[in-house]
Amino acid sequence: MDNKKYESPLVTRYCSSEMLFNFSDTNKFTNWRTLWYYLAKAEKELGLRISDEQLGEMKANLANIDFEMAK
């Protein structure tokens, strides 16, 4: 399975490669991780005990998704 491409019976007929990527698992989970990163960054500014090291690790792994492990 290609995680960078949305899977559906209709995609070969009606979707461009850009649209396939927009709805892909890779794009979806990377966007979620990006939102979580910015949420953690804002929570740190509000006083939660989140270290710069933790934020750095989150940022470094935004697109590092192990789909096999997630299965």
Side-chain angles (χ1 to χ4, degrees), residues 1-7 21 23-33 61-71:
M1 185 168 110
D2 182 6
N3 293 312
K4 294 184 181 180
K5 184 173 141 184
Y6 180 67
E7 300 289 332
F21 178 74
F23 290 99
S24 70
D25 286 342
T26 298
N27 191 46
K28 175 173 58 174
F29 293 120
T30 300
N31 283 336
W32 285 356
R33 287 180 173 203
N61 289 290
L62 293 176
N64 184 18
I65 304 166
D66 186 350
F67 290 101
E68 287 303 312
M69 188 173 120
K71 280 183 185 179

Side-chain angles (χ1 to χ4, degrees), residues 11-59:
V11 297
T12 56
R13 183 174 285 178
Y14 300 111
C15 290
S16 67
S17 60
E18 292 84 3
M19 287 301 292
L20 293 176
F21 178 74
N22 282 339
F23 290 99
S24 70
D25 286 342
T26 298
N27 191 46
K28 175 173 58 174
F29 293 120
T30 300
N31 283 336
W32 285 356
R33 287 180 173 203
T34 301
L35 290 172
W36 294 333
Y37 167 74
Y38 284 112
L39 173 63
K41 196 172 174 180
E43 288 175 332
K44 178 183 175 155
E45 290 176 10
L46 292 172
L48 268 69
R49 294 186 333 192
I50 300 172
S51 70
D52 289 333
E53 181 182 352
Q54 289 170 315
L55 287 174
E57 186 175 341
M58 287 179 77
K59 190 172 185 178

